[in-house]
Amino acid sequence: MSEHDIGLIGLAVMGQNLVLNMARNGYHVAVYNRTAAATDEFLALHRAQPITGAHTLPDFVALLRKPRIIQIMVKAGAPVDSVIDQLIPLLEAGDLIIDGGNSYFPDTERREARLAEHGIRFLGLGVSGGEEGALWGPSLMPGGTPEAYGMVAPILTAIAAKAPSDGAPCVTYLGRGGAGHYVKMVHNGIEYGDMQLIAESYDILKRVVGLNNAELAEVFAEWNSGELDSFLIEITAQIFRKADDQGQAGALVDYILDAAGQKGTGKWTSQNALDLGAPTHTLTAAVEARIISAFKAERIAASQLLGAPAPYSFTGDKKAFIEAVRRALYCSKVAAYAQGMALIALASQEYNYDVPLGKTAAIWRAGCIIRARFLADITDAYEADPHLANLMLAPKFRAALSDYQADWREVVATAIRAGVPTPAFSASLAYYDSYRSERLPANLIQAQRDLFGAHTFERTDREGSFHANWSA
């Protein structure tokens, strides 16, 4: 019978958990998976839920009430296009397809245009929160036409995470076209930056100060009770407490290979920022840090060949330096989020998305990987000034950066003296110093370009473009 409120295609863990979330909130859900056995296994485990499965796409579509709402949860790229190709002949004008994967935003806009030719609506939906978030409440980032969003808004509102401070659902309409997947992409770019900054904090505390895993767990747990309160800080403390699960002595973290993987969304953020001319120092440094981590064999060889600084022995006040690292982490996080929000603002203008920055920060307060107390302050900053040019200029963050910057600089300098790489900390500080500098040395670059290539330059004292005879 055509009685189901929504259908979902793709029963990997994220898809399964979203279905269970919808069912728990009272919605009847139809499901389909390319492998019929996966559908049957899922249904067998959840017989009491208002969930019905189908082994063919025509049977699946027939389960849905009109206008039909179908969410695709398959691997980004060609698999999404393949599912859409199979659905088009089965759907009617006014039906809605939602792509809930990590799709690249130009692909979302291409798919929306293609489906519009058939009268079928399309929504690009960023979903953050991992498996637990999908089950109990993710942060949801939808983009498309207002009409497409309106069709599914009640369901998304019901299943979204609720912010701890005011209970507001962590979902809002973000704009037309690829706005939702664009915001999710930048969210992931910020996530890369945040994770790298935390990793560098750990590296400094371990290699410079000499903290052991038990002490690191205590430090991060304490940090999580203050202005750094966040999901990522919380799980970091948890990680340092986990004993090895293969019978070796010590903590599991010490047996994990130091080569981090990535799925591409961080890289997309940096690539798009370069295309738009947006500075994303920290976010790009985080991507590059993951890339160089993969060169493990080369790094092992280089460690025997390339010179290191003289052995560094920390002799200062340990407690004071740990607090300095906390402050440096906070400042660097402000810089990272400032870069991400500024990039969204620039893209919103370039692509005519009209993304609401304050609401964007608000829907990240719960459910997503970067959820943090910090995001309430970002939300407040944009509510106070919707046209804020840069997050670092908001009064609260401006004051913190001013108060903490001496510690920030000391931590970066100490790491450099000790030979501990801090690409994201250093990039964050460089971004701050560049943004606050009334004058940068780009005048010399303009002169160089004009001398060797007659590229012309601008002057400070008059309008126009100029070329000099540098040999005269």
Side-chain angles (χ1 to χ4, degrees):
M1 295 178 61
S2 305
E3 61 182 12
H4 294 76
D5 302 296
I6 186 170
L8 188 138
I9 298 174
L11 291 175
V13 176
M14 285 290 289
Q16 290 185 24
N17 284 355
L18 283 170
V19 169
L20 294 174
N21 190 344
M22 294 172 187
R24 188 179 65 251
N25 280 282
Y27 291 98
H28 289 73
V29 189
V31 298
Y32 170 82
N33 194 77
R34 183 169 54 89
T35 305
T39 303
D40 293 339
E41 182 180 345
F42 176 67
L43 293 173
L45 290 172
H46 304 287
R47 296 183 187 278
Q49 301 296 326
I51 304 168
T52 305
H55 288 168
T56 70
L57 278 176
D59 289 345
F60 166 77
V61 171
L63 290 170
L64 302 172
R65 66 164 54 103
K66 298 180 181 180
R68 306 172 184 93
I69 301 173
I70 297 173
Q71 181 162 341
I72 301 172
M73 293 297 296
V74 300
K75 186 176 180 181
V80 177
D81 288 313
S82 176
V83 172
I84 290 174
D85 289 343
Q86 296 172 68
L87 285 174
I88 286 175
L90 304 175
L91 300 183
E92 302 171 359
D95 290 344
L96 169 66
I97 295 176
I98 304 165
D99 175 12
N102 269 334
S103 292
Y104 193 31
F105 74 97
D107 290 338
T108 300
E109 298 187 355
R110 170 178 57 79
R111 290 164 183 150
E112 182 184 44
R114 181 186 175 210
L115 287 166
E117 296 175 358
H118 301 274
I120 300 170
R121 291 169 173 161
F122 188 70
L123 200 70
L125 179 67
V127 180
S128 180
E131 299 172 11
E132 285 296 308
L135 180 61
W136 299 109
S139 173
L140 299 171
M141 293 157 258
T145 64
E147 294 77 17
Y149 176 65
M151 288 179 64
V152 74
I155 298 177
L156 298 184
T157 300
I159 69 171
K162 306 304 185 287
S165 58
D166 56 15
C170 290
V171 59
T172 193
Y173 175 66
L174 292 174
R176 294 184 176 272
H181 277 142
Y182 189 93
V183 169
K184 177 57 164 58
M185 177 189 76
V186 177
H187 164 283
N188 285 21
I190 294 171
E191 179 184 311
Y192 274 52
D194 210 342
M195 293 174 71
Q196 179 63 27
L197 289 167
I198 293 170
E200 291 176 16
S201 299
Y202 148 64
D203 209 21
I204 293 169
L205 293 175
K206 183 179 180 70
R207 295 170 62 184
V208 175
V209 185
L211 298 190
N212 59 36
N213 289 323
E215 291 169 326
L216 286 164
E218 290 181 10
V219 166
F220 280 94
E222 182 179 345
W223 287 359
N224 194 51
S225 65
E227 61 187 354
L228 288 178
D229 173 15
S230 69
F231 172 71
L232 286 172
I233 295 290
E234 177 186 354
I235 66 170
T236 300
Q238 179 183 344
I239 286 168
F240 290 122
R241 294 192 178 104
K242 173 67 174 176
D244 179 58
D245 56 6
Q246 300 296 317
Q248 298 292 330
L252 174 59
V253 68
D254 293 329
Y255 294 97
I256 296 175
L257 183 67
D258 59 322
Q262 55 181 312
K263 292 186 176 180
T265 47
K267 179 182 69 176
W268 291 344
T269 303
S270 296
Q271 288 173 331
N272 181 254
L274 289 171
D275 289 339
L276 294 180
T280 53
H281 295 49
T282 311
L283 314 190
T284 299
V287 174
E288 292 174 342
R290 292 198 188 189
I291 291 171
I292 200 169
S293 77
F295 287 75
K296 178 65 175 179
E298 289 187 37
R299 290 191 289 112
I300 291 173
S303 70
Q304 305 301 313
L305 298 172
L306 297 179
Y312 184 85
S313 178
F314 182 80
T315 58
D317 184 328
K318 183 183 293 189
K319 185 176 181 180
F321 188 76
I322 292 171
E323 171 61 11
V325 175
R326 187 196 70 81
R327 293 182 173 194
L329 176 57
Y330 181 84
C331 291
S332 297
K333 280 169 61 74
V334 172
Y337 279 78
Q339 294 159 36
M341 299 305 283
L343 175 59
I344 292 172
L346 186 60
S348 182
Q349 183 177 9
E350 178 72 17
Y351 305 132
N352 297 314
Y353 289 157
D354 197 24
V355 175
L357 294 182
K359 291 181 179 179
T360 298
I363 65 172
W364 291 345
R365 290 180 297 166
C368 67
I369 302 302
I370 63 172
R371 61 185 182 267
R373 179 191 303 186
F374 180 75
L375 281 154
D377 296 329
I378 298 178
T379 302
D380 292 343
Y382 284 107
E383 285 182 354
D385 183 1
H387 304 292
L388 185 65
N390 189 288
L391 188 63
M392 297 188 298
L393 300 176
K396 179 180 178 65
F397 296 122
R398 190 171 72 235
L401 291 169
S402 178
D403 291 344
Y404 292 174
Q405 69 167 294
D407 287 318
W408 192 8
R409 297 180 192 282
E410 179 58 29
V411 168
V412 172
T414 300
I416 291 171
R417 286 194 294 268
V420 177
T422 54
F425 267 158
S426 301
S428 299
L429 183 57
Y431 176 75
Y432 173 76
D433 280 337
S434 296
Y435 193 75
R436 66 163 191 82
S437 292
E438 182 179 350
R439 186 174 178 84
L440 294 170
N443 56 315
L444 178 59
I445 295 172
Q446 282 214 70
Q448 290 170 334
R449 294 180 72 245
D450 188 60
L451 187 152
F452 66 65
H455 292 292
T456 73
F457 55 86
E458 295 173 288
R459 294 179 60 97
T460 60
D461 57 351
R462 63 198 66 186
E463 298 291 328
S465 297
F466 298 87
H467 170 61
N469 180 2
W470 294 96
S471 61

